[in-house]
Amino acid sequence: MARPEEMADTREPEGRLGENIVHFARSLRKAGLNVGPASVTDAINAVLAAGIGSREDFYWTLHAVLVKRHEDHAVFDEAFRLFWRSRELVEKMLAMLSPVAPAGAQREKPRSGEKRASEALAKPPERERKQEPDTEIEIDARFSLSASEVLRSRDFAQMSAAELELARRAMRKMIMPHDRVKTRRHQPVASGRRLDPRAMMRHGLRTGGDLILPRFTAPRSVQPPLVVLADISGSMSQYSRIFLHFLHVLSERRRHVHSFVFGTRLTNLTRQLRHRDPDEALAECTKAVEDWSGGTRIGEALHVFNMDWSRRVLGQGATVILMTDGLERDRIDLLERETERLSKSCRRLIWVNPLLRFDGFEPKARGVRAMLPHVDELRPVHSLEAISDLCDALSGADRKAWKPLAKPHATAHTAGPGGAHGRA
Amino acid sequence: MPDQTPRPLPRSIDETLTLLTEGDYVADRALATVLYLSLTMQRPLFLEGEAGVGKTEIAKVLSTALGRRLIRLQCYEGLDVSSAVYEWNYAAQMIEIRMEEAAGSADRKTMERNVFSERHLIRRPVLEAISGEAGAAPVFLIDELDRTDEAFEAFLLEVLSDYQVTIPELGTVKAAEPPIVIITTNRTREIHDALKRRCLYHWVDYPDAARELEIVSRKVPDASARLSGEVVAYVQRLRQMDLFKVPGVAESIDWATALTELDRLALDPQTISDTLGVLLKYQDDIARLGEGESARLLEEVRSELATAD
């Protein structure tokens, strides 16, 4: 700790220290932390007040002022490491201020914030995704497509790492579904059908009871719970990770999102995905899931969900999104039974299937045919565009791509949207 | 009406156990412990478990055994403050205003005091529960909390930590002594951690065979010993099956009662299939337990009871 006499010494390097803190704060802001000018001033004052005793003191002083949410810790940690180590500033300061500089003990750090922190420190992000006016696109005109347009319709499976990154960013900007259902609870409204005597009486008293004007209430609407069941087996691996990102954005933007993944067993990732930082959240998910990219037993997983979870999460008229390719090898009867049970216990069952990226997709596989009669809607999920359409569909706005299957049972026997009916 | 002279709270886990047994509730030690703690620490008791395991019954028994009033708040979707806490009697208020007018007193302060006085206040369960007298705090049962929405749950947070409610026109009502709060949920929705944190938590499970037999014999004393034994053994077998909804204790009692009404002294395959609707409430489950399976189970139960004798 700095003593008052040492504090006097800090005045000399104050200018540079302050400047560096300002730079550091700006980097943090770029990395996504909520650091305003007031926090920067606070940070400088705090460092002046606490003095620079050691690297760790300095770390926690800045941490105390600049980190406002638990989720930001990882990013701060990484940014601190990169920023203050690369320039060896802390050591210089310490050397200047104290006769023997303490050895800068390195903490064992989680590295989940590393990427964002280093990106923020390295260079200003390029504005590579300028929105160009949408043009009508023919398949042959691929060289005239804008980068974003290609990205929108490109299959996740064919994207490079950089493109996937862009896709993730685009997903964060996507408009999330605005579905609402009426509840039995009422709220005051300007005009309506149901009188609100409590409000009438209270307001009537303002005029001493001379004038009691009608006031109304109407049912309040809320977003229904959204339950997502995602297949993370080997055959889905190219989609499951990006889909998890989508789930993270969803969980962040709306309440009551319950996320489950399944391969050979069912895992509830709701709490893990609630972490605000996407990298941290995904890291938590990876830790929690034991069967990434393994085999899949869809029927079995649905069975476990129906038994253990359906009554707990489907209670309030939930919408279920089931993401799987439906390629079940054994126990087709179980799959059919459990899909039926699932569809009967939720308000709406939407099946998103990356296999629909193929134009000539036909529900030939036995698993697919077993599930089809029981789902309300079947949608693709392979590209940004498809995901965006899914959001629209949830809002009830869009029905363009894949119409809800008209009549259950009839659908299994009619052709898929691409072609004629085939037998497995 | 139960005996309404309040009895002192139990002073040990054993006393709690005795208290429950006297009230015809066959509890295990875990439940007695958590109940005792909740009574001494004056913390709400949060009971979770499948439907029909006897969660609500605990509150009822507690109220009878302790000689306290039972105030029940049955939760439902759309439950709001006006039907849970208090409401004004608008018709009476209107009349009050008219009377004041007729009397010619137009003083606004007086009118407001008269209109919003205790006389016109309709007390709902929450307000009732916290306006109990010291030494005789009522048992406050918040039943099936999972049926309300989160807004109401958040409102309860304040009530349960401070045991007070504010009525803007009257001021704050604070409990002289915190009520004994029992919250139950069937887990159709997860309750927020913040609420659970304020409570003592207990998962009410299905009882084991011995305890269930005791419960059934207590609740259905007319049933023959053989019938009760077979009923309990059969239900215990059913619980091991992979059913969508396995029968709870309430179903066992119902079944024993039903069979007694039918003058049965023992189980037989025909009676089982005729009365299966008392036990199982899902068509899938009933179909699953077809003739063959139910006969097989009965055989198992018989041989099990025979070896036990």
Side-chain angles (χ1 to χ4, degrees), chain A residues 198-217:
Chain A
R198 180 179 280 225
M200 282 164 64
M201 192 56 70
R202 197 164 289 164
H203 286 269
L205 270 191
R206 287 192 186 158
T207 56
D210 275 350
L211 199 61
I212 297 180
L213 293 172
R215 297 203 164 240
F216 302 97
T217 62

Side-chain angles (χ1 to χ4, degrees), chain B residues 78-302:
Chain B
L79 179 66
D80 55 6
V81 171
S82 64
S83 43
V85 189
Y86 71 94
E87 184 63 307
W88 293 104
N89 185 347
Y90 302 111
Q93 282 179 323
M94 289 286 195
I95 295 169
E96 182 77 39
I97 292 173
R98 284 268 168 248
M99 298 290 277
E100 299 261 337
E101 269 177 3
S105 67
D107 179 24
R108 228 164 97 184
K109 278 267 160 58
T110 338
M111 183 182 272
E112 211 166 308
R113 206 166 48 236
N114 289 340
V115 170
F116 289 112
S117 69
E118 290 256 10
R119 277 184 299 149
H120 303 313
L121 189 68
I122 303 172
R123 293 160 170 275
R124 305 278 196 215
V126 174
L127 192 57
E128 284 286 329
I130 61 168
S131 29
E133 296 158 36
V139 176
F140 183 31
L141 167 65
I142 303 174
D143 212 8
E144 305 190 17
L145 179 65
D146 48 338
R147 288 177 186 269
T148 59
D149 58 358
E150 282 171 338
F152 189 76
E153 204 183 303
F155 166 77
L156 275 186
L157 284 180
E158 189 199 340
V159 174
L160 292 184
S161 51
D162 297 339
Y163 297 105
Q164 66 176 36
V165 161
T166 303
I167 302 170
E169 297 86 357
L170 288 181
T172 303
V173 183
K174 192 168 167 55
E177 186 187 304
I180 300 163
V181 183
I182 309 274
I183 301 172
T184 76
T185 142
N186 288 333
R187 272 217 305 191
T188 60
R189 171 172 76 82
E190 298 294 319
I191 303 297
H192 200 277
D193 294 345
L195 190 99
K196 284 187 173 175
R197 232 198 64 227
R198 284 166 172 76
C199 308
L200 298 182
Y201 176 87
H202 186 70
W203 172 262
V204 187
D205 214 340
Y206 297 111
D208 56 20
R211 206 151 65 77
E212 186 159 22
L213 185 57
E214 202 181 332
I215 297 171
V216 171
S217 352
R218 267 170 186 269
K219 296 282 177 185
V220 196
D222 292 345
S224 75
R226 180 172 172 204
L227 182 68
S228 316
E230 283 186 355
V231 161
V232 169
Y234 197 87
V235 170
Q236 291 272 338
R237 288 264 158 188
L238 278 186
R239 292 211 187 107
Q240 288 160 17
M241 282 180 66
D242 193 17
L243 297 176
F244 191 65
K245 170 72 181 88
V246 296
V249 186
E251 275 77 27
S252 309
I253 296 172
D254 284 352
W255 202 32
T257 316
L259 293 170
T260 315
E261 289 295 321
L262 294 171
D263 288 332
R264 294 289 189 278
L265 294 174
L267 291 179
D268 60 82
Q270 187 54 45
T271 319
I272 292 178
S273 69
D274 288 348
T275 54
L276 212 50
V278 181
L279 282 184
L280 301 174
K281 311 294 163 83
Y282 283 88
Q283 178 53 33
D284 295 2
D285 291 348
I286 293 177
R288 182 155 200 173
L289 204 78
E291 293 288 326
E293 184 72 8
S294 73
R296 196 183 60 78
L297 273 186
L298 185 60
E299 278 308 306
E300 280 184 21
V301 166
R302 288 245 171 89

